[in-house]
Amino acid sequence: MGSFFVHIYNFYATRKVWLWISVVAAFALTGYFASRIQLEEDITKILPQDKTLNKLQQVFNDSRFADKLVVMVSQKDTTAEAQPDSLVDAGKDLWWWFNFVDEFPLRDQYTKNLQITVEDTLVLGLMQQIQTHLPLFLEPNDYHTIDSLIQPQRLQQTLESNYHTLISP
């Protein structure tokens, strides 16, 4: 293998004009093929084409939420009793970060606007999209969780917890 490179060196050592022609041709070919590269922003194009994935991709493309960053605050243990005050406090803690984003110097180049509060129409649109395409978002273990949540005793417990939350100041 080493003799191959020695022969190339010996060939170009005596033929400097051919060396420069080869270098310029290599750069021209590299530049041509580099100019043919097309960047794609849709990361779902790298996934295998499947009927279910195509439906999910259509949901995301049709959604007005496709170009938004959504931060959700939820309890770590979803089966525990809801703690709405702690969720509100966590959301207020995130408020500092959003204010920092407002002051970030490069923000205007990449962000058109920053919406801290949620508009009701956007939430309703998102909920409608999720309800329409719910099976696409569920995994097999989610069905077991749903089954445990719709047991009569669990429903009664959840209703009581929600009632206490509503009547509390």
Side-chain angles (χ1 to χ4, degrees), residues 7-24:
H7 288 303
I8 291 175
Y9 173 77
N10 289 336
F11 177 80
Y12 284 122
T14 58
R15 297 169 183 91
K16 298 286 184 187
V17 173
W18 282 105
L19 172 67
W20 288 109
I21 291 172
S22 299
V23 168
V24 169

Side-chain angles (χ1 to χ4, degrees), residues 49-163:
Q49 296 298 319
D50 183 17
K51 185 178 180 182
T52 306
L53 291 176
N54 289 342
K55 288 181 183 178
L56 183 62
Q57 183 179 357
Q58 180 183 0
V59 169
F60 285 134
N61 289 341
D62 293 343
S63 175
R64 292 183 292 176
F65 296 98
D67 59 345
K68 296 186 184 333
L69 172 68
V70 178
V71 178
M72 294 179 59
V73 179
S74 63
Q75 291 183 174
K76 187 173 185 177
D77 184 10
T78 57
T79 59
E81 184 177 346
Q83 301 291 329
D85 293 334
S86 64
L87 293 176
V88 170
D89 290 340
K92 287 179 182 175
D93 289 342
L94 285 175
W95 182 262
W96 172 86
W97 187 81
F98 286 119
N99 285 336
F100 171 74
V101 171
D102 272 338
E103 297 167 5
F104 192 66
L106 298 177
R107 178 186 172 274
D108 293 333
Q109 292 178 357
Y110 304 109
T111 308
K112 290 182 183 175
N113 61 2
L114 184 65
Q115 179 180 345
I116 302 298
T117 57
V118 180
E119 296 177 12
D120 291 338
T121 56
L122 292 175
V123 172
L124 292 175
L126 177 62
M127 293 305 292
Q128 183 180 4
Q129 284 282 18
I130 290 173
Q131 286 177 352
T132 304
H133 305 287
L134 185 61
L136 294 174
F137 298 107
L138 294 177
E139 295 178 2
N141 59 354
D142 293 334
Y143 293 104
H144 297 294
T145 305
I146 292 171
D147 285 341
S148 69
L149 291 175
I150 61 173
Q151 296 297 322
Q153 61 202 27
R154 179 69 176 158
L155 284 174
Q156 183 65 32
Q157 180 186 4
T158 304
L159 286 173
E160 287 175 9
S161 173
N162 290 344
Y163 176 74

